[in-house]
Amino acid sequence: MTGLEDAMQAGLKAAQAQCPPGQRLALAGPKDFDALAAISAEAAAFVGLDVFGLQDAAFFASIRERGAVILQILRHDIPEGYSVVGPAAQMAGLFAGEDDKGLLFGTALRAGLRGQGWQRRMIRLRCAALFAAGFGGAKAFVSPWNHASLTNLLGDGFAVVSHDFSYYQRHRFIVERPAKGWGALGAGETQALTLPPDGDLEDHRHLLASGWRGMDMARPQMLYRR
């Protein structure tokens, strides 16, 4: 595999051309971690801890040591957002045997950057870097009640493949995107399920355990296929 950080650095030039005026992307290092922790706290306060877990400076230091690449979004040279990607096997014990997968996580934005399409840009940029570095797929955790993030991820080729409760001890769907796409998946049966407003996910968990995959969103419903 090519180094993930090298692949990300190579992709930044093209990504920079798509940034809104006055905004730019840069790789983050230890001197930036306190600023990123403040952005994380603001994001968690805005969406709630069920949706976004707090990430402090020690967290950023730890994941960087394990191979994560941390992008920061600067507006007029002030950090106002960040996004993270790393080798899935090193980022989460749940994926210990998946050395060929990368993990997207931790996109957080201050209020001034919301609504500008940054999450979708970060999904595409991080996937491109993973696949350029030789990873065979990308994974992510997403709250079942974060319909905007689910819509963005599914719209970029991800599918909900399972449910987990180990990430911050909160309900999370695990989504995945193979580097070569899902191929013919989705040509068979379909079933739509409403995403509930609270913690009752039993119907969704049953479908996922039975081999169905969540492939599309029509809020508040998810379309499953197998």
Side-chain angles (χ1 to χ4, degrees):
M1 288 187 184
T2 305
L4 180 56
E5 185 168 340
D6 291 341
M8 181 63 74
Q9 187 70 64
L12 284 183
K13 184 175 181 180
Q16 185 61 47
Q18 302 174 23
C19 292
Q23 300 176 25
R24 65 181 179 90
L25 292 162
L27 298 183
K31 65 180 177 56
D32 305 304
F33 291 166
D34 286 337
L36 301 187
I39 295 169
S40 172
E42 183 177 318
F46 178 72
V47 299
L49 288 173
D50 274 342
V51 173
F52 194 91
L54 286 174
Q55 299 171 345
D56 60 14
F59 169 84
F60 293 116
S62 172
I63 60 171
R64 190 169 185 264
E65 288 178 359
R66 288 181 275 135
V69 176
I70 306 166
L71 286 167
Q72 57 182 335
I73 306 165
L74 300 107
R75 186 168 66 160
H76 305 304
D77 292 327
I78 298 172
E80 295 204 349
Y82 69 86
S83 196
V84 184
V85 61
Q90 278 70 57
M91 297 297 106
L94 186 67
F95 307 131
E98 301 187 57
D99 293 327
D100 64 330
K101 306 287 175 55
L103 182 66
L104 316 185
F105 60 105
T107 296
L109 305 170
R110 290 196 184 278
L113 295 189
R114 296 181 194 130
Q116 298 183 26
W118 270 112
Q119 187 183 57
R120 199 70 175 263
R121 288 189 196 99
M122 292 296 96
I123 291 170
R124 292 172 178 171
L125 178 58
R126 289 176 295 169
C127 282
L130 283 173
F131 302 154
F135 287 87
K139 304 175 80 79
F141 294 99
V142 59
S143 166
W145 299 286
N146 189 347
H147 294 185
S149 291
L150 274 169
T151 299
N152 285 334
L153 286 160
L154 299 187
D156 256 280
F158 284 81
V160 180
V161 296
S162 61
H163 169 274
D164 179 65
F165 198 69
S166 65
Y167 191 75
Y168 292 104
Q169 288 70 58
R170 311 278 181 175
H171 287 287
R172 290 292 186 266
F173 285 144
I174 296 172
V175 299
E176 186 168 331
R177 174 184 166 184
K180 297 182 179 179
W182 288 106
L185 181 67
E189 300 174 84
T190 65
Q191 188 170 164
L193 276 183
T194 298
L195 286 164
D198 50 36
D200 183 9
L201 294 168
E202 196 57 39
D203 289 346
H204 292 265
R205 294 171 68 182
H206 176 74
L207 280 186
L208 291 166
S210 301
W212 293 76
R213 292 188 174 95
M215 301 295 294
D216 201 2
M217 286 282 293
R219 304 184 201 180
Q221 290 190 319
M222 181 180 294
L223 182 65
Y224 284 90
R225 297 185 185 274
R226 71 172 177 182

